[in-house]
Amino acid sequence: MSKNISLILMGCGGVGRQLLQHIVSCRSLHAKQGIHLRVVGVSDSKSLLVASDAFTMELPDDFLLEVCRAKSNGASLSTLSGYGEFQVFTNSESTKKIVDVAAFLGKSTGLALVDCSASSDTIPVLTQAVDLDCCVVMANKKPLTSTMVGAGLPVIASLNRILSSGDPVHRIIGSLSGTLGYVMSELEGGKLLSQVVRSAKNLGYTEPDPRDDLSGMDVARKALILARLLGQRINLDAIKIESLYPEEMAPSVMSIEDFLGSGLLLLDKNIQERVSKASLDGKVLRYVCVIEDSSCEVGIQELPKDSALGRLRGSDNVLEVYSRCYKDQPLVIQGAGAGNDTTAAGVLADIVDIQDLFP
């Protein structure tokens, strides 16, 4: 008999859609493992769809794939209102409904809220769900970098094992953005920053507006989660963040078209000079987070070519962890860093990992 894991997905963007596709395609695998993922609700920024009876029913696989198709075409979930047995709630009603379902399932069959949105608006419903004995799985970093602290990154388990053994971690340095990892490694071949960023955008590595990556805020949010794990009681505004573009090129000042067309070209010379200077010293540039003692900062650093970070290529993420036991040779954690598929696969693995919390 399969163990049922009931879940509500919040966010049907690239990662959310890929997660639904993974859930459907892994049905036979999960059946062999004795588990079944019951998707009882999905939501986007405008509406929530919930199975008519969340206790006994779930959204069928063909409908989940229809959700993926509709969202890929830019449609709202509310356009699917005539498809199947489910209830539709507007954005203003969705939080109350999710909490109602959480209260009903949290103490009976169990419920996992899966946050694949990119919004901090999910924080209130997540905190209420936790209070109702529900599980939370997140690809969304914003709730983890507010006043909440969580464990949503793949490296968390490794760090927790080190800390639990009594081995104090005193320094972490890592490339935590697949986009910026790709950009920095490509610059070594003599390419211009403007060329590399446009290439990364065409490959789907960047956000629709590459400045969301080039600002360093994504890396800073991840660094904050790790810093808090090591015991630092800090907020995002305490982190020193180096942006790869000046304030006069910020989205509020310059359009994305102008940034991609002329703004990027103005950044080429400075970065090219920094690449050349590092090369003369036998080093390479990497955009990294550095967490040490009570400090946390993110930005470009010159690093040895033969280090794990120096050898980084493409969009992989690399983290070097220094502790008492890993003093001279750091523990290196490396893996794929960019792409909806990779992120969604990690979320699915996290959902499966919590199966022991379900009756």
Side-chain angles (χ1 to χ4, degrees):
M1 183 175 179
S2 293
K3 174 176 288 190
N4 289 319
I5 300 177
S6 302
L7 65 93
I8 293 177
L9 171 65
M10 297 184 294
C12 294
V15 174
R17 295 195 303 272
Q18 192 67 58
L19 175 61
L20 292 178
Q21 292 172 9
H22 281 330
I23 289 173
V24 173
S25 65
C26 289
R27 288 298 189 199
S28 59
L29 172 63
H30 290 161
K32 293 177 182 177
Q33 296 174 339
I35 58 175
H36 177 74
L37 304 188
R38 295 180 62 242
V39 182
V40 299
V42 294
S43 71
D44 59 15
S45 61
K46 297 180 179 179
S47 52
L48 164 72
L49 306 182
V50 181
S52 298
D53 182 353
F55 187 74
T56 61
M57 301 174 64
E58 62 187 281
L59 301 178
D61 288 352
D62 58 346
F63 176 71
L64 297 180
L65 296 178
E66 186 61 32
V67 167
C68 294
R69 283 189 287 269
K71 294 302 298 180
S72 294
N73 293 328
S76 170
L77 289 179
S78 58
T79 61
L80 301 173
S81 58
Y83 194 112
E85 296 184 42
F86 55 82
Q87 299 170 298
V88 183
F89 299 88
T90 63
N91 185 45
S92 60
E93 304 168 320
S94 61
T95 295
K96 182 179 184 304
K97 182 58 181 179
I98 291 176
V99 171
D100 287 346
V101 174
F104 181 59
L105 296 182
K107 298 184 185 301
S108 55
T109 65
L111 178 71
L113 289 194
V114 182
D115 186 358
C116 290
S117 71
S119 171
S120 57
D121 293 341
T122 59
I123 293 175
V125 71
L126 294 176
T127 54
Q128 290 182 72
V130 170
D131 290 339
L132 293 167
D133 294 336
C134 295
C135 299
V136 171
V137 177
M138 284 180 283
N140 181 14
K141 295 176 289 297
K142 291 183 178 178
L144 297 177
T145 54
S146 66
T147 55
M148 294 175 61
V149 179
L153 294 176
V155 299
I156 295 293
S158 297
L159 286 177
N160 270 331
R161 287 178 64 86
I162 295 174
L163 296 170
S164 297
S165 72
D167 184 13
V169 174
H170 57 81
R171 186 170 191 260
I172 291 177
I173 179 169
S175 175
L176 300 179
S177 165
T179 302
L180 292 175
Y182 171 83
V183 169
M184 290 293 114
S185 63
E186 287 292 296
L187 290 174
E188 293 172 45
K191 296 180 182 178
L192 298 175
L193 177 68
S194 57
Q195 295 174 321
V196 176
V197 171
R198 292 191 190 107
S199 175
K201 188 175 189 302
N202 291 335
L203 290 170
Y205 288 165
T206 74
E207 296 294 331
D209 186 339
R211 286 172 292 188
D212 290 344
D213 300 290
L214 300 178
S215 69
M217 285 301 296
D218 179 65
V219 177
R221 291 189 183 100
K222 294 173 181 176
L224 178 58
I225 296 169
L226 298 180
R228 285 176 170 177
L229 182 66
L230 299 189
Q232 292 190 23
R233 301 182 65 85
I234 61 173
N235 292 317
L236 196 60
D237 56 8
I239 298 178
K240 182 180 178 182
I241 305 170
E242 178 184 2
S243 172
L244 297 191
Y245 61 84
E247 289 185 7
E248 55 265 29
M249 293 186 190
S252 60
V253 179
M254 180 179 286
S255 70
I256 182 173
E257 292 78 16
D258 288 343
F259 178 72
L260 292 173
S262 59
L264 270 174
L265 296 174
L266 299 176
L267 305 178
D268 284 339
K269 183 179 179 181
N270 176 260
I271 292 295
Q272 195 171 28
E273 290 175 349
R274 293 177 70 173
V275 170
S276 299
K277 177 180 176 299
S279 180
L280 290 174
D281 295 332
K283 296 181 178 181
V284 294
L285 298 185
R286 293 292 181 263
Y287 195 98
V288 297
C289 75
V290 180
I291 305 168
E292 192 167 16
D293 299 325
S294 60
S295 68
C296 180
E297 62 182 66
V298 301
I300 295 178
Q301 298 262 348
E302 293 186 6
L303 298 171
K305 287 184 178 180
D306 60 353
S307 66
L309 285 161
R311 294 191 299 269
L312 174 67
R313 293 294 179 273
S315 61
D316 277 5
N317 282 354
V318 176
L319 197 74
E320 296 181 1
V321 181
Y322 294 84
S323 68
R324 185 187 67 239
C325 296
Y326 296 97
K327 182 179 180 181
D328 299 318
Q329 293 294 326
L331 172 67
V332 177
I333 304 171
Q334 181 168 355
N340 294 331
D341 192 14
T342 300
T343 303
V347 172
L348 181 58
D350 287 342
I351 296 171
V352 173
D353 281 346
I354 62 174
Q355 61 179 289
D356 289 342
L357 300 177
F358 286 73

